[in-house]
Amino acid sequence: MTRFTVNNQPVEYKMDPRTPLLWALRDASNLTGTKFGCGTGDCGACTVDVDGTARLACQETIGALEGTFVTTIEGLPRDRSHPVQQALIAANVPQCGYCIPGVVMAASVLLRANRNPSEDDIKAAIPNICRCGIYPRLLGAIGDAARIARGDAAPEPDAEPQAGNPEPAGEQ
């Protein structure tokens, strides 16, 4: 049996300790916000926070996580009041949404460690792959999230979509 904490709740998995965290979360805990993307650790869709570090749930075994604290997208405020959630929504970053949980988790870890990240810091911390091409807005939104987290600014919705970033479906 493997024991650790997920979203502030103690869990005990009666699964093979070699089971990837991704499948324990999705199949045993019904926490489906953590997405399966590639299964090879390349896309970042399965990013979670393990003891304050962004980790790829498809690459972590539950046996290796004994005694740790894991936070998934479901562990962030449901009212979307986390600075990263606020900034991404205000900047109209989410498109299809598949990569967003991993992006949000990677960004939340970054901002906890670095309250004033540079663009290079953001690029290094958020290697997540997005097929919708959110990158230009994502960089700005994470900078905005840092300002929100520091108390320097409130989120402001974009008045108009930026060039190269079409309106979300249904708002055209």
Side-chain angles (χ1 to χ4, degrees):
M1 282 180 266
T2 303
R3 295 182 179 105
F4 51 94
T5 302
V6 176
N7 299 334
N8 296 316
Q9 298 295 313
V11 296
E12 181 178 304
Y13 290 113
K14 297 177 183 176
M15 304 170 83
D16 184 326
R18 295 172 296 177
T19 302
L21 174 61
L22 174 65
W23 301 118
L25 293 171
R26 291 183 62 80
D27 296 344
S29 294
N30 199 32
L31 295 171
T32 57
T34 304
K35 304 299 184 200
F36 172 75
C38 65
T40 61
D42 294 317
C43 74
C46 66
T47 302
V48 296
D49 178 336
V50 178
D51 290 338
T53 303
R55 305 279 280 277
L56 301 171
C58 73
Q59 299 297 298
E60 298 292 330
T61 63
I62 60 173
L65 297 174
E66 183 81 30
T68 63
F69 288 83
V70 176
T71 304
T72 70
I73 193 74
E74 291 93 346
L76 297 185
R78 292 181 63 86
D79 66 359
R80 299 179 179 153
S81 61
H82 188 281
V84 175
Q85 293 168 312
Q86 289 179 24
L88 267 64
I89 291 166
N92 197 27
V93 171
Q95 294 299 304
C96 82
Y98 201 82
C99 69
I100 295 300
V103 168
V104 169
M105 295 311 298
S108 69
V109 167
L110 167 66
L111 296 184
R112 198 168 38 257
N114 182 348
R115 294 179 41 87
N116 193 25
S118 68
E119 187 172 306
D120 287 339
D121 294 333
I122 295 168
K123 287 178 180 177
I126 318 293
N128 304 58
I129 294 172
C130 172
R131 293 186 65 177
C132 299
I134 62 171
Y135 303 111
R137 285 182 291 172
L138 178 63
L139 292 173
I142 293 174
D144 291 345
R147 287 185 282 286
I148 294 166
R150 291 191 310 264
D152 295 346
E156 295 182 24
D158 280 348
E160 295 180 25
Q162 296 176 354
N165 294 301
E167 289 276 345
E171 295 184 19
Q172 296 178 358

